[in-house]
PDB file of all heavy atoms in Angstrom:
ATOM      1  N   ASP A 608      24.379  81.991 -23.552  1.00 92.00           N
ATOM      2  CA  ASP A 608      24.131  80.738 -24.275  1.00 92.00           C
ATOM      3  C   ASP A 608      25.065  79.635 -23.776  1.00 92.00           C
ATOM      4  O   ASP A 608      24.647  78.488 -23.587  1.00 92.00           O
ATOM      5  CB  ASP A 608      24.308  80.916 -25.779  1.00 92.00           C
ATOM      6  CG  ASP A 608      23.154  81.668 -26.434  1.00 92.00           C
ATOM      7  OD1 ASP A 608      22.075  81.791 -25.802  1.00 92.00           O
ATOM      8  OD2 ASP A 608      23.332  82.135 -27.577  1.00 92.00           O
ATOM      9  N   GLU A 609      26.333  80.000 -23.554  1.00 92.00           N
ATOM     10  CA  GLU A 609      27.311  79.035 -23.036  1.00 92.00           C
ATOM     11  C   GLU A 609      26.859  78.530 -21.661  1.00 92.00           C
ATOM     12  O   GLU A 609      26.913  77.333 -21.378  1.00 92.00           O
ATOM     13  CB  GLU A 609      28.694  79.686 -22.899  1.00 92.00           C
ATOM     14  CG  GLU A 609      29.312  80.134 -24.191  1.00 92.00           C
ATOM     15  CD  GLU A 609      30.248  79.122 -24.798  1.00 92.00           C
ATOM     16  OE1 GLU A 609      30.215  77.937 -24.443  1.00 92.00           O
ATOM     17  OE2 GLU A 609      31.033  79.550 -25.664  1.00 92.00           O
ATOM     18  N   LEU A 610      26.403  79.453 -20.815  1.00 90.00           N
ATOM     19  CA  LEU A 610      25.962  79.088 -19.476  1.00 90.00           C
ATOM     20  C   LEU A 610      24.789  78.113 -19.536  1.00 90.00           C
ATOM     21  O   LEU A 610      24.773  77.092 -18.843  1.00 90.00           O
ATOM     22  CB  LEU A 610      25.577  80.351 -18.696  1.00 90.00           C
ATOM     23  CG  LEU A 610      25.083  80.147 -17.269  1.00 90.00           C
ATOM     24  CD1 LEU A 610      26.137  79.459 -16.414  1.00 90.00           C
ATOM     25  CD2 LEU A 610      24.697  81.488 -16.656  1.00 90.00           C
ATOM     26  N   GLU A 611      23.844  78.409 -20.390  1.00 90.00           N
ATOM     27  CA  GLU A 611      22.676  77.535 -20.536  1.00 90.00           C
ATOM     28  C   GLU A 611      23.101  76.137 -20.992  1.00 90.00           C
ATOM     29  O   GLU A 611      22.655  75.131 -20.442  1.00 90.00           O
ATOM     30  CB  GLU A 611      21.690  78.147 -21.528  1.00 90.00           C
ATOM     31  CG  GLU A 611      20.393  77.383 -21.618  1.00 90.00           C
ATOM     32  CD  GLU A 611      19.380  78.054 -22.537  1.00 90.00           C
ATOM     33  OE1 GLU A 611      19.413  79.286 -22.682  1.00 90.00           O
ATOM     34  OE2 GLU A 611      18.574  77.319 -23.123  1.00 90.00           O
ATOM     35  N   ARG A 612      23.989  76.076 -21.989  1.00 86.00           N
ATOM     36  CA  ARG A 612      24.466  74.776 -22.480  1.00 86.00           C
ATOM     37  C   ARG A 612      25.218  74.025 -21.377  1.00 86.00           C
ATOM     38  O   ARG A 612      25.027  72.826 -21.200  1.00 86.00           O
ATOM     39  CB  ARG A 612      25.395  74.950 -23.680  1.00 86.00           C
ATOM     40  CG  ARG A 612      24.693  75.257 -24.973  1.00 86.00           C
ATOM     41  CD  ARG A 612      25.678  75.424 -26.133  1.00 86.00           C
ATOM     42  NE  ARG A 612      26.624  74.345 -26.298  1.00 86.00           N
ATOM     43  CZ  ARG A 612      26.369  73.185 -26.908  1.00 86.00           C
ATOM     44  NH1 ARG A 612      25.186  72.971 -27.420  1.00 86.00           N
ATOM     45  NH2 ARG A 612      27.292  72.258 -27.026  1.00 86.00           N
ATOM     46  N   GLY A 613      26.061  74.738 -20.650  1.00 86.00           N
ATOM     47  CA  GLY A 613      26.833  74.103 -19.581  1.00 86.00           C
ATOM     48  C   GLY A 613      25.952  73.564 -18.466  1.00 86.00           C
ATOM     49  O   GLY A 613      26.212  72.490 -17.914  1.00 86.00           O
ATOM     50  N   GLU A 614      24.899  74.308 -18.125  1.00 83.00           N
ATOM     51  CA  GLU A 614      23.996  73.882 -17.055  1.00 83.00           C
ATOM     52  C   GLU A 614      23.160  72.668 -17.462  1.00 83.00           C
ATOM     53  O   GLU A 614      22.801  71.859 -16.615  1.00 83.00           O
ATOM     54  CB  GLU A 614      23.074  75.030 -16.650  1.00 83.00           C
ATOM     55  CG  GLU A 614      23.791  76.095 -15.849  1.00 83.00           C
ATOM     56  CD  GLU A 614      22.899  77.272 -15.487  1.00 83.00           C
ATOM     57  OE1 GLU A 614      21.835  77.450 -16.114  1.00 83.00           O
ATOM     58  OE2 GLU A 614      23.294  78.032 -14.584  1.00 83.00           O
ATOM     59  N   LYS A 615      22.851  72.554 -18.748  1.00 83.00           N
ATOM     60  CA  LYS A 615      22.057  71.420 -19.230  1.00 83.00           C
ATOM     61  C   LYS A 615      22.875  70.138 -19.281  1.00 83.00           C
ATOM     62  O   LYS A 615      22.337  69.051 -19.312  1.00 83.00           O
ATOM     63  CB  LYS A 615      21.515  71.712 -20.635  1.00 83.00           C
ATOM     64  CG  LYS A 615      20.387  72.694 -20.646  1.00 83.00           C
ATOM     65  CD  LYS A 615      19.884  72.888 -22.061  1.00 83.00           C
ATOM     66  CE  LYS A 615      18.745  73.873 -22.099  1.00 83.00           C
ATOM     67  NZ  LYS A 615      18.313  74.148 -23.474  1.00 83.00           N
ATOM     68  N   GLY A 616      24.184  70.279 -19.332  1.00 79.00           N
ATOM     69  CA  GLY A 616      25.035  69.112 -19.517  1.00 79.00           C
ATOM     70  C   GLY A 616      25.253  68.908 -21.003  1.00 79.00           C
ATOM     71  O   GLY A 616      24.337  69.090 -21.794  1.00 79.00           O
ATOM     72  N   ILE A 617      26.459  68.557 -21.366  1.00 74.00           N
ATOM     73  CA  ILE A 617      26.800  68.461 -22.778  1.00 74.00           C
ATOM     74  C   ILE A 617      27.368  67.090 -23.116  1.00 74.00           C
ATOM     75  O   ILE A 617      28.078  66.489 -22.322  1.00 74.00           O
ATOM     76  CB  ILE A 617      27.808  69.564 -23.192  1.00 74.00           C
ATOM     77  CG1 ILE A 617      28.982  69.610 -22.216  1.00 74.00           C
ATOM     78  CG2 ILE A 617      27.134  70.903 -23.283  1.00 74.00           C
ATOM     79  CD1 ILE A 617      30.053  70.623 -22.550  1.00 74.00           C
ATOM     80  N   GLY A 618      27.019  66.620 -24.269  1.00 78.00           N
ATOM     81  CA  GLY A 618      27.619  65.413 -24.827  1.00 78.00           C
ATOM     82  C   GLY A 618      27.572  64.207 -23.916  1.00 78.00           C
ATOM     83  O   GLY A 618      26.582  63.947 -23.230  1.00 78.00           O
ATOM     84  N   ASP A 619      28.694  63.492 -23.875  1.00 84.00           N
ATOM     85  CA  ASP A 619      28.773  62.217 -23.170  1.00 84.00           C
ATOM     86  C   ASP A 619      29.285  62.351 -21.741  1.00 84.00           C
ATOM     87  O   ASP A 619      29.618  61.364 -21.100  1.00 84.00           O
ATOM     88  CB  ASP A 619      29.658  61.252 -23.958  1.00 84.00           C
ATOM     89  CG  ASP A 619      31.057  61.806 -24.182  1.00 84.00           C
ATOM     90  OD1 ASP A 619      31.395  62.876 -23.634  1.00 84.00           O
ATOM     91  OD2 ASP A 619      31.827  61.159 -24.922  1.00 84.00           O
ATOM     92  N   GLY A 620      29.400  63.570 -21.231  1.00 89.00           N
ATOM     93  CA  GLY A 620      29.856  63.778 -19.861  1.00 89.00           C
ATOM     94  C   GLY A 620      31.360  63.753 -19.690  1.00 89.00           C
ATOM     95  O   GLY A 620      31.866  63.824 -18.572  1.00 89.00           O
ATOM     96  N   GLN A 621      32.104  63.675 -20.797  1.00 94.00           N
ATOM     97  CA  GLN A 621      33.571  63.648 -20.720  1.00 94.00           C
ATOM     98  C   GLN A 621      34.170  65.032 -20.505  1.00 94.00           C
ATOM     99  O   GLN A 621      35.317  65.148 -20.095  1.00 94.00           O
ATOM    100  CB  GLN A 621      34.155  63.016 -21.979  1.00 94.00           C
ATOM    101  CG  GLN A 621      33.788  61.554 -22.145  1.00 94.00           C
ATOM    102  CD  GLN A 621      34.358  60.700 -21.033  1.00 94.00           C
ATOM    103  OE1 GLN A 621      35.564  60.634 -20.845  1.00 94.00           O
ATOM    104  NE2 GLN A 621      33.489  60.060 -20.269  1.00 94.00           N
ATOM    105  N   VAL A 622      33.399  66.075 -20.819  1.00 96.00           N
ATOM    106  CA  VAL A 622      33.799  67.450 -20.529  1.00 96.00           C
ATOM    107  C   VAL A 622      32.574  68.180 -19.981  1.00 96.00           C
ATOM    108  O   VAL A 622      31.432  67.848 -20.317  1.00 96.00           O
ATOM    109  CB  VAL A 622      34.349  68.210 -21.776  1.00 96.00           C
ATOM    110  CG1 VAL A 622      35.562  67.499 -22.358  1.00 96.00           C
ATOM    111  CG2 VAL A 622      33.286  68.421 -22.823  1.00 96.00           C
ATOM    112  N   SER A 623      32.825  69.153 -19.116  1.00 95.00           N
ATOM    113  CA  SER A 623      31.731  69.988 -18.617  1.00 95.00           C
ATOM    114  C   SER A 623      32.308  71.336 -18.194  1.00 95.00           C
ATOM    115  O   SER A 623      33.521  71.483 -18.029  1.00 95.00           O
ATOM    116  CB  SER A 623      31.001  69.318 -17.449  1.00 95.00           C
ATOM    117  OG  SER A 623      31.847  69.207 -16.330  1.00 95.00           O
TER     118      SER A 623
END
Side-chain angles (χ1 to χ4, degrees):
D608 285 344
E609 296 265 18
L610 180 60
E611 186 176 332
R612 283 180 52 81
E614 286 178 342
K615 286 182 180 176
I617 49 178
D619 58 6
Q621 295 296 300
V622 301
S623 66

